[in-house]
């Protein structure tokens, strides 16, 4: 766990972080239970076991999700053959081989799917403002899924979403919100930053960043895939 100690005494949210640290390593957490194991250590061991169980399921789900996303990339490439040429051309004049460009796009796809995993986890723990109507109507992943599911049920299946492309720009807006935050008075969200949610750049020396930029801006992902 990491905290910015400078914020602990500046506002109520900082005080909550300090209280969280106090509870995490407080006397009760360090007291030995009847079997002699401190509660904190027992919680860590239990978390590790649950993490291993979850990882096995999550790994396969992520793989399938990335495959769906790469199918959308393949479809976009068929209508826009220059897509991979834009990715292959580095800012320093170098050019990627096909295998290197494909690997960069794969890594970008994994990054996008892991963003979704993090957002879903954060929403389940209410670490994102899921109860705010602005967030629910314009950003939330769970709310978006329910919207798409409702449309599919009303129109006889997910094929009805094949020609719609509303969901992808909404997810991109969510990712920007998580990374950069919102300073709007009626919708304040802290900027979390971090490498996972950092937007891609079309002229970046890292090919994964260039691939991520193309995913974010040049691949029209269908609502059916989302």
């Amino acid at each position: 766990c990491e905290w910015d100690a400078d914020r602990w005494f500046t506002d109520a949210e900082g005080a909550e972080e300090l209280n969280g640290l106090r509870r995490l390593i407080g006397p009760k957490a360090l007291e030995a239970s009847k079997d002699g194991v401190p509660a904190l250590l027992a919680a860590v061991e239990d978390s590790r076991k649950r993490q291993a169980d979850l990882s096995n399921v999550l790994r396969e789900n992520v793989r399938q999700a990335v495959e769906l996303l790469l199918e959308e990339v393949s479809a976009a490439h068929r209508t826009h053959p220059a897509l991979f040429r834009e990715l292959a051309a580095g800012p320093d004049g170098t050019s990627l081989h096909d295998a290197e460009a494909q690997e960069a796009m794969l890594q970008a796809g994994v990054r996008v799917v892991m963003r979704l995993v993090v957002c879903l986890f954060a929403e389940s723990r209410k670490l994102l403002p899921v109860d705010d109507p602005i967030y629910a109507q314009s950003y939330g992943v769970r709310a978006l899924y329910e919207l798409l599911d409702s449309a599919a049920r009303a129109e006889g299946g997910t094929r009805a979403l094949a020609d719609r492309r509303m969901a992808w720009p909404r997810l991109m807006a969510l990712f920007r919100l998580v990374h950069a935050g919102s300073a709007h008075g009626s919708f304040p969200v802290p900027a979390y930053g971090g490498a996972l949610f950092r937007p891609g750049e079309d002229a970046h020396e890292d090919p994964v960043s260039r691939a991520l930029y193309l995913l974010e801006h040049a691949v029209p992902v269908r609502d059916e895939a989302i």
Side-chain angles (χ1 to χ4, degrees):
C1 298
E2 294 182 359
W3 283 274
D4 182 0
D6 293 337
R7 297 185 57 237
W8 284 348
F9 305 103
T10 59
D11 55 29
E13 188 172 341
E16 289 181 1
E17 292 181 359
L18 177 57
N19 187 48
L21 176 61
R22 183 183 64 81
R23 293 184 63 183
L24 179 67
I25 59 174
K28 287 186 177 181
L30 301 179
E31 288 177 359
S33 61
K34 59 183 179 181
D35 55 0
V37 179
L40 178 59
L41 180 58
V44 169
E45 294 297 337
D46 184 55
S47 177
R48 285 175 176 168
K49 180 181 182 301
R50 292 175 182 271
Q51 181 181 9
D53 295 339
L54 176 62
S55 295
N56 291 332
V57 176
L58 186 61
R59 186 182 300 114
E60 179 61 17
N61 288 351
V62 167
R63 183 190 66 78
Q64 293 179 9
V66 171
E67 286 182 357
L68 277 174
L69 187 54
L70 292 182
E71 288 174 4
E72 297 297 293
V73 173
S74 179
H77 182 241
R78 287 195 293 271
T79 58
H80 181 43
L83 188 67
F84 269 85
R85 289 200 297 270
E86 296 172 13
L87 169 59
D92 55 358
T94 60
S95 181
L96 300 177
H97 298 298
D98 287 348
E100 294 173 321
Q102 292 167 4
E103 176 64 21
M105 188 60 76
L106 171 63
Q107 293 302 321
V110 171
R111 190 172 300 185
V112 167
V113 173
M114 291 311 299
R115 287 176 178 178
L116 287 171
V117 171
V118 170
C119 287
L120 284 167
F121 175 83
E123 288 185 5
S124 71
R125 297 297 181 93
K126 294 194 174 182
L127 300 174
L128 289 170
V130 291
D131 296 327
D132 189 303
I134 297 177
Y135 181 86
Q137 294 171 15
S138 302
Y139 297 99
V141 181
R142 176 60 60 185
L144 174 61
Y145 174 79
E146 291 173 354
L147 180 66
L148 296 176
D149 184 57
S150 177
R153 289 174 181 273
E155 301 187 34
T158 57
R159 290 299 302 170
L161 306 177
D163 295 325
R164 302 181 187 179
R165 292 171 175 80
M166 168 276 296
W168 188 248
R170 172 167 161 164
L171 288 178
M172 296 305 103
L174 170 62
F175 298 157
R176 290 193 297 270
L177 176 70
V178 172
H179 187 266
S182 168
H184 196 283
S186 61
F187 186 56
V189 177
Y192 291 101
L196 179 61
F197 286 89
R198 184 181 300 138
E201 297 181 33
D202 60 341
H204 201 282
E205 61 182 11
D206 181 7
V208 176
S209 183
R210 299 201 300 274
L212 190 57
Y213 179 86
L214 291 176
L215 262 180
E216 292 170 339
H217 298 279
V219 177
V221 180
R222 299 167 302 150
D223 287 5
E224 182 184 19
I226 299 299

